[in-house]
Amino acid sequence: MTAPTMLDWAVVCPLDLLDPDRGAAALVDGVQVALFRTGGELYAVDNLDPVGGAYVMSRGIVGSRGGVPTLASPLHKQVYDLRTGRCLDLPDVALRRHEVRCRNGLVEVRLRQEG
């Protein structure tokens, strides 16, 4: 297994364009990313639903399970841990997550590329 490679930070949008507990889709270096602002934190995961195969995760339902911030797929309702991308319903499934930060009022994403 090869360690993931991190690319450079890319500015996506002003922070105030992200509504709390709602998703937004962005195209970062040709990759569709789903962004979330919930519980005072920012999260970025692939917009591709790994089960349904459609680019819909930005339309997922934000919630929590046992204090863990979660995202439910809008297609088949699998629930993912937003912190890790791990699916809480299907142990072998995960969303690829990316680093995200707010710098000078701008949301920036750094893509993670697997090996």
Side-chain angles (χ1 to χ4, degrees):
M1 180 175 195
T2 306
T5 302
M6 303 302 286
L7 301 178
D8 291 333
W9 290 100
V11 175
V12 175
C13 66
L15 178 63
D16 59 1
L17 287 184
L18 293 180
D19 292 330
D21 301 325
R22 307 281 310 244
L27 191 60
V28 179
D29 293 332
V31 175
Q32 287 192 36
V33 174
L35 295 168
F36 299 92
R37 177 181 177 189
T38 185
E41 300 289 333
L42 292 170
Y43 301 96
V45 295
D46 273 357
N47 198 30
L48 178 65
D49 181 330
V51 175
Y55 290 90
V56 296
M57 296 309 290
S58 61
R59 301 174 125 199
I61 301 165
V62 175
S64 67
R65 187 183 280 184
V68 172
T70 60
L71 172 65
S73 167
L75 293 179
H76 301 293
K77 310 301 185 237
Q78 290 86 14
V79 176
Y80 297 87
D81 181 338
L82 273 172
R83 301 170 308 170
T84 64
R86 186 176 61 88
C87 183
L88 301 177
D89 300 320
L90 302 170
D92 295 333
V93 176
L95 289 170
R96 186 171 59 159
R97 64 182 177 80
H98 306 285
E99 289 190 39
V100 60
R101 69 183 181 190
C102 181
R103 191 169 170 199
N104 299 322
L106 298 174
V107 175
E108 298 178 337
V109 171
R110 186 159 69 177
L111 295 176
R112 172 187 298 253
Q113 292 192 331
E114 303 302 328

